[in-house]
Amino acid sequence: MWRAVLLCLLAVFSFWSFAVVRGEDAYKYYTWTVTYGAASPLGLSQQVILINGQFPGPTLDTVTNDNIILNVINKLDQPFLLTWNGIKQRKNSWQDGVLGTNCPIPPKSNYTYKFQTKDQIGSYTYFPSTLMHRAAGGFGALNVYARSVIPVPYARPAGDYSLLIGDWYKTSHRVLQQILDSGKALPFPDGILINGQGRPSFSGDQGKTYMFRISNIGLSTSFNFRIQGHKMKLVEVEGSHVLQNIYDSLDIHVGQSVTVLVTLDQAPKDYYIVASTRFTQTVLTAAGVLHYANSGAPVSGPVPAGPTNEVGWSVDQARSYRWNLTSNAARPNPQGSFHYGTTTPTRTIILANTAPIINGKQRYAVNGVSYINADTPLKLADYFNIPGVFSINFIQSSPSGNGASLRTFVLGTSHHDFIEVVFQNNENAIQSWHLDGYDFWVVGFGTGQWTQASRKTYNLVDALTRHTTQVYPNSWTAILVSLDNQGMWNLRSAMWGRQYLGQQLYLRVYNPTQNLANEYNIPNNALLCGKAVGRRIP
């Protein structure tokens, strides 16, 4: 009898073991080789950064919960890192790919990233986080598709296009870095590129609907996007399904991504696809082509004009972006299941950007402190308890008005806090802020100085979540963040020259109880540098 019971138990165990193995999320393996190459995106041959010989780099198409095993081989003559813009790296800031979490990959060496697109869908990007490499390429699209068992709130499109749009310089990334190191701001860019080109073409069949995933991969400039004669239905913004409003054109700020559906419902010919700079004295324009398969004529007429300096127009559009409360995202439960507006923040942090001169050089700062990178990643220093690498809570939770200083600083927070962050922009230029490891509710935009009374204007019902938000000139933007992802996370200006010269900091989301349910262990292939050299990885 006991033998029969034992055999039965073994059979059940074998069945469930098989089920667990079968149920594990997919693994996808990649090898990317990073090299220099030559291209002429603005008609002048210049050095660019290639990934597997491609400029821009390969599109990384994934599905919710995929495990990505990606070996990066660095054949440049400088250290190199890639960061995954908008991928939350749940419990895994070890794979974030910024200098506060990772040692850069030395020349003639490699590093294998291991991360998961956990509970995410949407349009994202990747790009180099080291030096000014981003100005030379090495960027690409990263798309996370819903699992087949999860419905999406629109019919499957006939095609899917990723558009990487951004400002571009004819000047090399090395010279741009020298300009910044000399204490000067970046010059005005030379042009706008769409997928590394001046005039790319996208084809489709008349009467069918196509998805366009549009990302601002540039260094410093917002743009307005439009398609001649066609309406755009906004369906997703950085992982959030939104109310499907119809737009003639869309403002997309540095580091942001949006997804639209476009129906080819016009006469069969070719139409302009246009991106032009916003809030700039000189307007730069790139014009691609939407080609109907049965087209009878090439593009014609003037390139459709877009808005230029109209701030109010852009603010109104930003406020029109609303969360689709009844739609799911990566999970089957509706996005509106969590009532963020009923949760009282545990802390308010006001972050003011400034452009001080320190030691005779242009810098950018947050609450009077301009960040400088340490030679030891903050995450490694924290893990190994290495003193003298960073200062915790040196930065104040609101601007003090004191003089600016240089510092490697970290803002300490607690795991599971729910915080309110106000980005205060007293400069005459638009700002763009990004937070790694999270998305956040963008609850308010306002002019002038934020006050506690500004909360009366917050959208506490259906504000969308995203990872990057704009802050208009002489204005403020307020966000709410649920700190449910333990780790060391970069909060930075998405405008790369400002980030390079100090407009960034790190959030240490801390839990004193070490638990694999909250955060993964250090990877056994972690690169060690600075004061972490020689330390033992368990």
Side-chain angles (χ1 to χ4, degrees):
M1 176 181 176
W2 286 109
R3 184 172 182 275
V5 171
L6 180 61
L7 289 174
C8 181
L9 288 173
L10 287 173
V12 170
F13 177 79
S14 299
F15 170 81
W16 283 112
S17 298
F18 177 75
V20 168
V21 171
R22 284 286 301 270
E24 188 174 15
D25 298 309
Y27 279 75
K28 294 183 177 177
Y29 297 85
Y30 304 88
T31 297
W32 285 3
T33 301
V34 182
T35 61
Y36 290 121
S40 304
L42 291 177
L44 176 72
S45 181
Q46 61 186 113
Q47 186 185 71
V48 297
I49 292 176
L50 309 175
I51 297 180
N52 289 355
Q54 300 179 45
F55 170 77
T59 296
L60 191 59
D61 284 327
T62 69
V63 175
T64 300
N65 295 344
D66 276 356
N67 294 281
I68 307 302
I69 313 298
L70 197 152
N71 181 28
V72 175
I73 301 171
N74 178 17
K75 292 192 175 182
L76 306 183
D77 57 357
Q78 295 177 314
F80 183 82
L81 274 176
L82 287 173
T83 190
W84 318 95
N85 199 49
I87 300 302
K88 296 179 186 178
Q89 305 290 359
R90 296 290 302 172
K91 303 186 289 187
N92 199 17
S93 62
W94 300 108
Q95 305 295 336
D96 201 30
V98 289
L99 291 175
T101 58
N102 295 83
C103 296
I105 307 167
K108 300 180 181 179
S109 186
N110 74 294
Y111 175 72
T112 300
Y113 290 90
K114 301 174 183 178
F115 63 91
Q116 187 179 26
T117 54
K118 180 67 174 175
D119 292 337
Q120 288 190 260
I121 54 94
S123 304
Y124 305 97
T125 59
Y126 64 86
F127 57 80
S129 63
T130 38
L131 305 175
M132 287 299 289
H133 292 143
R134 182 173 171 178
F139 50 75
L142 198 170
N143 302 324
V144 185
Y145 293 88
R147 291 170 289 170
S148 59
V149 296
I150 301 296
V152 294
Y154 48 82
R156 183 174 182 176
D160 189 329
Y161 293 111
S162 295
L163 280 68
L164 303 171
I165 305 177
D167 50 22
W168 188 259
Y169 291 85
K170 295 178 181 177
T171 307
S172 76
H173 70 94
R174 297 176 193 270
V175 173
L176 292 176
Q177 181 185 335
Q178 291 170 2
I179 291 171
L180 293 171
D181 289 341
S182 72
K184 299 177 182 178
L186 287 178
F188 190 68
D190 296 302
I192 299 288
L193 299 182
I194 303 175
N195 289 355
Q197 305 173 50
R199 180 166 286 193
S201 181
F202 305 88
S203 298
D205 295 326
Q206 187 179 26
K208 293 185 178 180
T209 298
Y210 294 83
M211 176 171 283
F212 288 82
R213 303 172 181 268
I214 310 149
S215 297
N216 188 330
I217 199 71
L219 296 179
S220 60
T221 314
S222 302
F223 65 78
N224 179 267
F225 179 85
R226 52 206 180 271
I227 301 178
Q228 182 185 25
H230 291 74
K231 303 288 187 181
M232 296 180 289
K233 179 187 290 186
L234 185 68
V235 294
E236 179 260 329
V237 175
E238 296 166 17
S240 280
H241 283 139
V242 296
L243 294 183
Q244 296 180 7
N245 296 327
I246 305 298
Y247 298 90
D248 293 315
S249 70
L250 293 167
D251 277 357
I252 304 172
H253 307 281
V254 181
Q256 294 184 342
S257 298
V258 302
T259 303
V260 300
L261 295 176
V262 179
T263 299
L264 276 57
D265 56 3
Q266 299 299 304
K269 63 173 190 171
D270 292 354
Y271 297 86
Y272 286 114
I273 294 176
V274 187
S276 58
T277 56
R278 289 285 268 129
F279 318 116
T280 58
Q281 289 186 341
T282 301
V283 177
L284 300 175
T285 301
V289 175
L290 175 60
H291 173 73
Y292 278 51
N294 59 340
S295 173
V299 289
S300 60
V303 173
T308 54
N309 291 312
E310 300 90 337
V311 173
W313 183 97
S314 187
V315 173
D316 289 343
Q317 182 176 93
R319 288 176 175 154
S320 75
Y321 289 9
R322 299 299 180 99
W323 221 16
N324 187 335
L325 298 179
T326 60
S327 170
N328 60 282
R331 290 182 172 184
N333 52 300
Q335 293 179 139
S337 298
F338 180 72
H339 302 286
Y340 68 93
T342 63
T343 303
T344 301
T346 55
R347 182 179 181 183
T348 296
I349 301 168
I350 304 172
L351 301 176
N353 54 274
T354 53
I357 302 298
I358 303 178
N359 300 328
K361 293 185 176 183
Q362 177 69 68
R363 295 288 299 186
Y364 299 100
V366 186
N367 289 2
V369 186
S370 185
Y371 185 90
I372 51 175
N373 285 306
D375 63 354
T376 307
L378 313 183
K379 185 64 180 168
L380 289 178
D382 199 28
Y383 178 81
F384 289 118
N385 295 313
I386 301 172
V389 175
F390 63 85
S391 302
I392 189 83
N393 290 335
F394 178 82
I395 187 174
Q396 298 182 355
S397 294
S398 60
S400 64
N402 297 330
S405 61
L406 301 172
R407 199 86 173 198
T408 305
F409 59 97
V410 171
L411 190 60
T413 60
S414 296
H415 192 207
H416 297 306
D417 273 359
F418 188 80
I419 64 173
E420 174 187 38
V421 180
V422 178
F423 298 110
Q424 181 68 53
N425 177 21
N426 296 325
E427 298 184 55
N428 294 324
I430 193 168
Q431 305 292 317
S432 187
W433 280 94
H434 170 85
L435 176 59
D436 281 351
Y438 289 92
D439 51 19
F440 45 73
W441 290 272
V442 185
V443 293
F445 299 96
T447 58
Q449 297 294 309
W450 180 90
T451 67
Q452 292 189 18
S454 302
R455 294 188 179 116
K456 296 178 182 178
T457 68
Y458 284 5
N459 176 1
L460 297 179
V461 177
D462 60 355
L464 83 163
T465 60
R466 65 186 316 170
H467 57 66
T468 303
T469 188
Q470 70 273 28
V471 190
Y472 293 98
N474 300 298
S475 298
W476 55 266
T477 297
I479 66 172
L480 298 177
V481 193
S482 179
L483 298 181
D484 60 354
N485 193 13
Q486 187 173 327
M488 189 77 73
W489 303 108
N490 192 207
L491 176 59
R492 62 176 179 263
S493 172
M495 305 165 84
W496 212 245
R498 296 185 72 104
Q499 177 273 154
Y500 183 86
L501 290 182
Q503 190 175 318
Q504 62 169 311
L505 65 144
Y506 282 81
L507 290 184
R508 180 182 186 241
V509 181
Y510 180 69
N511 188 328
T513 303
Q514 297 302 309
N515 189 328
L516 289 178
N518 295 331
E519 185 175 24
Y520 297 144
N521 285 328
I522 183 173
N524 56 17
N525 68 330
L527 300 176
L528 302 180
C529 56
K531 295 180 180 180
V533 170
R535 301 280 176 154
R536 179 177 174 273
I537 298 176

